[in-house]
Amino acid sequence: MRIDLHTHSRVSDGTDAPAELVRRAATAGLDVVALTDHDTFDGLDEAVAAGEQHGVRVIRGVEMSTSREGHSVHLLAYGMDEEDPALTGELIKIRSGRSGRLAPVLAKLAELGVPVTEQQVLAQVGDSPSVGRPHIADALVKAGHVANRTEAFDRFLADGGPAHVSRYTVSLERGIDLVHQARGVAVIAHPWGRGRKRLLPPEVLERLVDEHGLDGVEVDHQDHNPAERKELRRLAGSLGLIMTGSSDYHGVGKVDHDLGCNTTDPEMFSRLQELTAMR
Ligand code: AMP
Ligand code: FE
Ligand code: FE
Ligand code: ZN
């Protein structure tokens, strides 16, 4: 059984429509795929319907933008109540904070000599209810200022980069609590990717388990090297955490993230399902 628990459609910063993503998942030989767009549930109904058509089991998820010590941490949630007022209220605030940051970012880009207009960015947004940095990156590519999204992040948009502007976020701890209050399962996405091991060292993960009941961590992810995966696997085992694996597919928006390039162990997936059923 092949299980991919973290993907993005054009309802956030991926490039496939949700139904298209699920069709590709079937072609890639996946049995289970979770759609986990950033901070929105908007694509889930379409994905589930497409799953029934293509014989793929679609898991309802979301990747919530949280933060710790001023740095962003992505929290995956599965099987949550999508009507929960506290959770949906926070997601609305996160989405409007992301879109509200557009004007100051564009002002910085203009100062840096790589101007793009709001219209140029909005043309890249697809069906996403918020405007993220990847959409700004796509506008920079389209305008010929950079070759691809990666260059746009490396030169301008990455955390701490010259065109970076921070936005509204909730703390990781509050994010986990909100997911649990909405009866969902909380799994930290790529916890040690992009230098985050300093932000989420073993003792912090242990505290999140003890004090907030963190359910799992993503281990097999393209942003983790083999040594990080090995250490994270051992740590997750000793903390009793569910370990997941995923592609973090973004369509053509991210290279080396093909559907099914990393997968979740069926036994771990069963544990995740048991937890969602219990809540
Ligand atoms: P935002 O939520 O608008 O702040 O944008 C964050 C999104 O940008 C993440 O979910 C990633 O998909 C993407 N991203 C963040 N950092 C990078 C990076 N260094 N290179 C490429 N994509 C990135
Ligand atoms: Fe993304
Ligand atoms: Fe992420
Ligand atoms: Zn993601």
Side-chain angles (χ1 to χ4, degrees):
M1 191 156 76
R2 299 190 68 224
I3 305 157
D4 186 342
L5 291 182
H6 176 176
T7 69
H8 298 272
S9 76
R10 59 187 270 125
V11 167
S12 64
D13 57 359
T15 55
D16 293 350
E20 176 69 7
L21 182 153
V22 172
R23 191 188 63 75
R24 286 184 203 269
T27 307
L30 290 172
D31 303 287
V32 179
V33 68
L35 180 65
T36 54
D37 273 311
H38 296 288
D39 307 303
T40 180
F41 305 129
D42 283 3
L44 296 177
D45 289 342
E46 180 183 324
V48 168
E52 283 160 16
Q53 196 186 329
H54 297 289
V56 177
R57 172 118 188 256
V58 173
I59 303 298
R60 304 179 79 97
V62 67
E63 186 176 20
M64 187 176 185
S65 306
T66 72
S67 67
R68 176 173 154 73
E69 295 177 345
H71 296 274
S72 103
V73 176
H74 286 175
L75 183 65
L76 293 161
Y78 300 101
M80 58 283 136
D81 173 5
E82 295 161 30
E83 310 282 312
D84 181 84
L87 180 60
T88 54
E90 275 306 328
L91 294 180
I92 290 169
K93 280 205 219 167
I94 293 168
R95 294 199 300 264
S96 45
R98 175 180 288 118
S99 301
R101 176 190 55 174
L102 178 59
V105 173
L106 295 186
K108 287 194 173 192
L109 289 172
E111 264 175 51
L112 291 160
V114 285
V116 285
T117 64
E118 193 172 313
Q119 287 73 10
Q120 284 174 300
V121 176
L122 296 179
Q124 302 301 320
V125 169
D127 302 318
S128 171
S130 62
V131 185
R133 279 182 283 169
H135 304 123
I136 305 174
D138 290 346
L140 286 165
V141 175
K142 196 86 189 275
H145 295 310
V146 294
N148 49 47
R149 273 190 188 181
T150 304
E151 187 187 343
F153 272 90
D154 289 349
R155 286 178 57 197
F156 305 112
L157 299 171
D159 290 10
H164 182 246
V165 175
S166 58
R167 58 174 165 80
Y168 174 84
T169 51
V170 301
S171 73
L172 172 60
E173 287 84 351
R174 171 135 172 83
I176 295 170
D177 293 348
L178 281 166
V179 170
H180 285 156
Q181 281 163 29
R183 303 196 310 278
V185 175
V187 175
I188 299 183
H190 41 74
W192 286 358
R194 296 198 179 122
R196 272 186 190 72
K197 191 170 172 190
R198 266 171 285 122
L199 196 63
L200 295 167
E203 59 275 18
V204 170
L205 291 175
E206 184 173 358
R207 193 175 53 71
L208 291 168
V209 174
D210 290 348
E211 296 176 11
H212 295 273
L214 174 68
D215 301 296
V217 284
E218 195 173 53
V219 172
D220 288 305
H221 184 280
Q222 294 301 76
D223 289 351
H224 292 157
N225 65 34
E228 287 163 342
R229 294 182 192 205
K230 193 173 168 199
E231 192 184 342
L232 204 45
R233 191 167 277 119
R234 204 175 44 213
L235 177 66
S238 73
L239 295 176
L241 285 165
I242 293 173
M243 307 170 213
T244 64
S246 80
S247 61
D248 200 357
Y249 174 74
H250 279 66
V252 297
K254 226 174 193 177
V255 290
D256 296 330
H257 287 259
D258 292 343
L259 282 165
C261 66
N262 298 291
T263 54
T264 298
D265 184 277
E267 198 178 307
M268 290 292 165
F269 177 59
S270 309
R271 280 180 57 191
L272 193 141
Q273 281 184 292
E274 278 163 29
L275 277 186
T276 31
M278 267 165 52
R279 288 186 181 152

